[in-house]
């Protein structure tokens, strides 16, 4: 039923993993580079293991019959100049190819919440979070929410704060 929420409180139960390159695996934890979970007591993380490892965390199958949106919290701290990447993908059946939606390539040291449109609804829809290990501290995600009946609230991001002004961006 929607909204569908995964907060990883029960670990990675119902999620699958596809190791595309290497042997690194996602796991459930309660700490990441000094950060506690975005919400609750745990979250999913894939930490540094081998440069160039690529592992997809695959959602359970969902029936999405109309326009859908997803929000999720994520972190990916750089280690010096080394930065890991989080890619978001979807597929319309368990046997179809993954389709790229968006990727995050920048240094994110505190939880950020992002929202994405999930294209091409199907009765056998899956979402994939691919971590690409480039020797950073890893990638973490928490509170994945899928909405099927309308647009989620806008996400506000503070851009710059000074003594007498603030610039804000939204999506």
């Amino acid at each position: 039923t929607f909204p569908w929420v995964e907060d990883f409180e029960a670990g990675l139960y119902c999620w699958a993993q596809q190791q595309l390159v290497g042997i690194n695996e996602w796991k459930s934890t309660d700490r990441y580079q000094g950060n506690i979970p975005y919400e609750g007591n745990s979250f999913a993380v894939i930490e540094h293991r081998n440069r160039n490892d690529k592992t997809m965390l695959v959602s359970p199958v969902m029936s999405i019959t109309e326009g859908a949106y997803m929000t999720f919290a994520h972190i990916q701290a750089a280690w010096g100049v080394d930065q890991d990447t989080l890619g978001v993908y979807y597929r319309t059946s368990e046997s179809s190819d993954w389709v790229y939606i968006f990727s995050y390539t920048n240094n994110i040291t505190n939880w950020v919440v992002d929202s994405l449109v999930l294209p091409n609804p199907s009765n056998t829809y899956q979402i994939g979070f691919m971590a690409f290990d480039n020797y950073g501290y890893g990638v973490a995600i928490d509170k994945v929410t899928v909405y099927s009946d309308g647009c989620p609230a806008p996400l506000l991001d503070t851009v710059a704060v000074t003594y007498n002004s603030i610039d804000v961006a939204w999506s």
Side-chain angles (χ1 to χ4, degrees):
T1 59
F2 292 97
W4 179 82
V5 179
E6 174 60 79
D7 55 13
F8 303 102
E9 295 301 300
L12 300 180
Y13 180 72
C14 293
W15 289 73
Q17 297 193 47
Q18 291 181 350
Q19 293 159 318
L20 305 170
V21 176
I23 59 171
N24 207 353
E25 293 185 352
W26 287 84
K27 65 180 182 177
S28 179
T29 188
D30 64 354
R31 294 267 175 218
Y32 171 81
Q33 294 302 307
N35 286 287
I36 60 173
Y38 173 73
E39 190 172 288
N41 297 309
S42 61
F43 54 93
V45 66
I46 190 163
E47 296 178 297
H48 163 70
R49 185 174 179 113
N50 297 305
R51 189 180 296 272
N52 298 324
D53 277 7
K54 291 182 186 178
T55 305
M56 182 88 72
L57 184 62
V58 181
S59 76
V61 173
M62 297 177 232
S63 178
I64 298 177
T65 57
E66 58 186 273
Y69 307 87
M70 174 179 65
T71 60
F72 62 99
H74 61 106
I75 298 176
Q76 56 192 52
W79 186 351
V81 297
D82 297 320
Q83 178 66 61
D84 299 326
T85 299
L86 172 64
V88 182
Y89 295 77
Y90 77 94
R91 64 183 178 186
T92 56
S93 74
E94 291 182 78
S95 61
S96 61
D97 291 335
W98 288 104
V99 179
Y100 171 82
I101 299 176
F102 197 79
S103 61
Y104 300 89
T105 60
N106 50 329
N107 182 28
I108 303 169
T109 58
N110 295 301
W111 290 107
V112 171
V113 177
D114 276 307
S115 179
L116 297 171
V117 174
L118 298 175
N120 301 320
S122 80
N123 288 324
T124 53
Y125 204 89
Q126 287 184 292
I127 299 164
F129 292 95
M130 185 176 59
F132 176 72
D133 187 346
N134 194 32
Y135 237 59
Y137 280 111
V139 174
I141 60 172
D142 199 4
K143 193 160 184 199
V144 179
T145 305
V146 176
Y147 302 86
S148 67
D149 58 351
C151 192
L155 297 174
L156 299 177
D157 296 309
T158 302
V159 176
V161 178
T162 67
Y163 178 74
N164 59 3
S165 70
I166 184 170
D167 290 329
V168 177
W170 65 275
S171 58

